[in-house]
Amino acid sequence: MSNISVDCIYRSNLLDICLLILFVIASCHRADNASQKMKRLWVHECFRVFYDRLVDDKDRQWLLDTLKTIINEQFDDEFDGVMGGLDADEKGFVDIEDMRRCFFGDFVQNDKEPEDRTYDE
């Protein structure tokens, strides 16, 4: 992503970072806390907070590459292994099209009270 933003849609602030952290923290008690699933949840929330605003494919790819680097270096895991279940055509890596299938939510369990629902894939 370029250093000088020409479109206000690319601007973000600390509230965006706070929302990302709050979504993940709020989901911890409602999700299966398996390590791999929590990493996928973090990637999902990054996509919802940042990726959904991007209008340029080059910037979308930059964000995906950055998330891959963070998972590999900071979480000490392979991104394509963590997100491998999304690789529908079994090409050995996860790309932008595969990431479109990354969803978390509790909307499937509408027969339960909101506090009893689990936030799941």
Side-chain angles (χ1 to χ4, degrees), residues 23-91:
F23 289 145
V24 173
I25 290 172
S27 302
C28 287
H29 79 282
R30 297 176 59 197
D32 175 12
N33 287 326
S35 174
Q36 298 295 309
K37 185 178 277 189
M38 292 307 292
K39 292 172 188 172
R40 288 191 298 274
L41 173 63
W42 181 79
V43 170
H44 162 79
E45 294 300 342
C46 286
F47 261 64
R48 299 297 68 86
V49 172
F50 300 110
Y51 180 90
D52 288 349
R53 298 179 186 184
L54 301 175
V55 295
D56 184 0
D57 287 337
K58 180 180 168 189
D59 292 341
R60 290 182 183 123
Q61 187 61 50
W62 174 86
L63 181 63
L64 178 62
D65 292 342
T66 300
L67 291 174
K68 286 183 177 188
T69 301
I70 291 170
I71 291 290
N72 292 343
E73 293 177 3
Q74 302 302 317
F75 290 99
D76 197 30
D77 213 336
E78 287 294 323
F79 182 88
D80 294 324
V82 171
M83 306 303 285
L86 302 175
D87 183 15
D89 52 358
E90 299 178 4
K91 59 190 166 299

Side-chain angles (χ1 to χ4, degrees), residues 2 6 11 14 18 25 43 50 55-56 62 66-67 69 91 99 102 106 109 112 116 119:
S2 63
V6 294
R11 295 178 201 258
L14 287 177
C18 290
I25 290 172
V43 170
F50 300 110
V55 295
D56 184 0
W62 174 86
T66 300
L67 291 174
T69 301
K91 59 190 166 299
M99 288 303 300
C102 180
D106 65 357
Q109 306 162 357
K112 296 180 181 179
D116 296 332
Y119 197 61

